[in-house]
Every structure is written in C-alpha cells, then in structure tokens.
Amino acid sequence: MNRRSVLKGAAAFAAGAAAGLPRPAIAQGATRVLRFVPQANLANFDPIWGTQFVVRNASMLVWDTLYGIDNTFTPRRQMVESEEVSADGLTWTFRLRPGLRWHDGEPVLARDCVASLERWMVRDGMGQMIRALRQELVAVDDRTFRLRLSAPYPKLLFALGKNNTPIAFMMPERIAKTDPFQQITEFVGSGPMRFNRAEWVPGARATWSRFEQYVPREEPPNWLSGGKRMLVDRIEWIIQPDPATAAAALQAGEVDWWETPLTDLIPVLRRNRNIRIDIADPLGNVGCLRFNHLHPPFNDVRARQAVAWVVNQADFMRAVVGGDDGLWRPMYSYFTPETPNYTEAGAEILKNPRDPATARRLLQEAGYTGEPVVMLVAQDLAPLSAMGQVANALLRSIGMNVDYVATDWGTVGARRASREPRERGGWNIFFTWFAGADCTNPASYLGLRAHGEGAWFGWPNDPAIERGRDKWFAARNAEEERAACEEISRAAMISQPFTPTGFYRAYQAWRTNVSGIVPGPLPWFWGVSKS
C-alpha cells in the first residue's frame, strides 16, 4: 500500500469509528466557537520578522492595517479616516479613524503608526522602496501623521494595504520599536480579536477571543477591506499535522473548517453530507524551489540553471495534488496564469524537453564536485513535503549529493533566515509556495526581488530583474506594464531567483453549519458564523 491509500483508509476508518460513538452533548455557546485547522503550526507570531503565511493569517485577527485591498486589488481605507496628498505627490497626510483602541485599552495614536511603519519598511520590499524615498515620517498630533518623500511613489496606498507578507500591520509604539530582525514577545493589536497568549501551545493550539471595543467600518467586508465583523466569540486553531486525523475530526464535527485538506482525501469528505468542499482561492498557488544565492553551489548561475533544465512541473504538481489533473497546470512563467501580466518570455529553459546532460554539464562548469546540498523540507505541509521528495530524486539523478533535512515548517522558517554556509547551520534549497494573488505583478512579489542583501530569503542579486521592476513602477499604461513584465521574465529565466514548480489550486473544507466562508488568498474569518 502507498501513502495515499493508507491516508484514505485511515480517514475513512477514523470517521466511521467516530460516527459509531455516542456524541457528547453540545456545550452551551458552542455555536459561538469556531474551530479551525490551519495549514501549519503557529510556531512564532511576529508578522514583520518573517513571511510565513500561517503567521500572516493569524495576525489578521490581532493587528489591523491602515488600508486593505479588496478583491480587485484596490486599496481601501481601513484604520485611516482620510488622507491628503500634495499636488507634487511628495507629501502624504493621514488621519486615523476616531475611537481606535489597542487590546490593552489604550488609544491608537499616530506615533504608534509611525513606529509600526518604520519597522515594517526595513523588512518589506515595497517598504524598502518607500524608506529609500522617505524624507520625513512624523506624528503631527494624536490622530494625524505625515510622510514626506523625495520623489512620488504612486503605489503607496497599495503598499500599505497589500495582502502579501510582510503586511504593514499597526502595533503599539513600544512593540513596534523592537528590532525588525528580532521577534516581538508581546502580541497586542487593535484588530477584531485578542490573542489568548496564556492558552497558546505551539504544535497543539492557539486561540483568540472577540475584542469587544473593536469598531468595524461601515462598508461590507471585501478581502482586507470593509467592516471586519466577528460573528463568533472565540476562534480556536487546532494543529493537526496528520491529514487523516484532521479529516476524521472534520467528519466527526470536532472541528469546523479545514484550511488545506489533502487532495487525496477529498473523495472521502465529499461522501459526508455535512461537509462542503470548494476551491480555496481561484487565483491558486505558485510552487517554488528556492535557492540560496550566497553560497556554493547555487551562488553560480549555472548550478541554478542546471536544476531548471531538469525540473518537470508535471512530476511536482502530481505529487502535490494527486490524480486530479484539473487542479494544476504547467507554469512557464513567474506570473500567475490567466492574468494580464502572464508571459512566457525567455522560458525555453522550462518549456523545452528536459535535458539531464545539459544539467550535468552546467554543474561541472559551475565547479560542483559533490559537496552536500542542504535541502530543507517541511514534512508537516503536504505540498512542500511532496515537492521535496520529487526534488530529492531529481537532484540525485544529476549527481548532486543531497542532504535531505526533513523537519517542520516552523524550523524551516527560522533556518531559512540564516545567511551562514551549510557547514554552520545554513541551507541551499527550501520549498514554499506563493499565493497567485501575490504573483500577478511585480509590486509586492517577494520571490522576484533581486536586490541582494535586501531581497527575500535566498538573497538573489540580479540588476536586470531590478531594472525591469523599476520600469514596471514607472509604466504609464497596461502595455508598458506588460512590456516590463516580459523584461523581468527574460532576466529571471536566466538567473533563476527560484524555479517555478507549477501552478495549482487547492481545496478547503468546512461543516455545513458554518456559513460566510469566502474564497481568497487567505482565510477571512470576519463574516463567518456557525449555527
């Protein structure tokens, strides 16, 4: 029996056993508690220090933002009541909504937002661009702060409201003054839910309680924008790294919503009339094999190209989604399929027949002589575990000495931040995915920044990619934006900041007594109710 068969059988058996047991009496108020199985363990809780989606998703409940994008990627006011911009586009003045409070009861002040933006700008790609232009960022009074730039930055409001990591979350000044390269230890926000720190058991559970003093906006909720009205009093994240256990818990009603059910278990779940299944995000996900550009062998572009010449996206995607070929497609691009900027410019390295001989030649030219290649693989995230297994066999087939480090996603998240060589605790490859919503354009696309030490984990340095990105920001129309994306694509296909392993969509599953779940690049908890 293979792993997929074992999981299917285990899930069916566990669900059947649970159904045959007497059900416990439903505790009073159970409909006010939403039990959720997240994609991974919440091992740390600082949304600025790192970029893990699981941290971002949890942070949405605790910390609010000045702006929030809607499902058209338009930034809308969130904590901000109004803004003014000078005629030359250099001076922005923001005024906060009245009545905003932190979870400790203190009022939200402009100086809190100034400190929060200062910390965020150090770690975020768009924030770094704003920081380079910043002439002044000061609090004018308790509800007003001013940003003065040396040159216009037309994408400013999008940067402040975007959904990809790190998000510009607002924190009290005392917390926001934490070194951006150190994790915060206090989790006080002004969002719709309070984090129950005393109940947090990493690897098992995290919980939130409704913040009664939160005042939502009047507009209907739309992604990160509008009124974040919480219709439950408590949210419990139940960490279930074993898919069969999570499936059985959902079928038995022990949990209400599973963020990332394993595709192979979907047929079992569909047979339960009390469970609904749907695509979690129509914009899907972009698989990523990420290189460390600082150290051998992948500091040499030829070694990165060697891997790209043998990556077969069909192998990766079928390992991720199983036998449902409708969930994936080849992606000979760095941009999300079926969106305006999708381009296959320069993509022959991914599109042409796979060429192990060329790969071996390139490795030899790069000076590779069999040194260990440290590959970090998160076993508790099924898509990443699947990609790691495929890549392990693939790299060994072209003569690479793979040091396969099977661990958990929290450990990967911490270790990938190390810039040390492999012999001192560093790494050479890790796997992740980007939300398709983050890959529609270069604005907030972490994986496509290539400005060396300021870039995302892996730290690629490619001026050609950066020149194309600058042209996209300067574009006057959609045609110029697309031309800039083609230039970026051609450069990236040569330098391989990462190798795309394909495009795929994923399911989510929830009990039929839960309503208000809306598809998108992350789970939106506001507007979700339970009967």
Side-chain angles (χ1 to χ4, degrees), residues 53 281 283-289 313 317 320 329 331-337 342 383-384 387 431-440 445 447-448 456 498-505:
F53 285 164
D281 179 9
L283 286 171
N285 306 285
V286 175
C288 167
L289 188 160
Q313 292 187 346
M317 291 297 95
V320 169
R329 57 163 286 178
M331 180 180 163
Y332 306 130
S333 178
Y334 283 92
F335 296 100
T336 306
Y342 182 82
L384 306 190
M387 283 192 267
F431 303 90
T432 189
W433 71 82
F434 301 110
D438 300 344
C439 305
T440 59
Y445 194 159
L448 267 189
W456 192 57
F498 70 92
T499 298
T501 59
F503 172 84
Y504 67 99
R505 294 184 174 94

Side-chain angles (χ1 to χ4, degrees), residues 64 76-81 97-98 100 214-222 225-229:
D64 212 344
R76 307 290 184 185
R77 295 170 186 155
Q78 193 58 33
M79 295 174 72
V80 165
E81 179 182 65
R97 287 199 289 143
L100 298 178
Y214 182 76
V215 180
R217 295 190 67 90
E218 292 298 323
E219 302 92 336
N222 187 329
S225 69
K228 298 177 181 177
R229 292 175 174 81

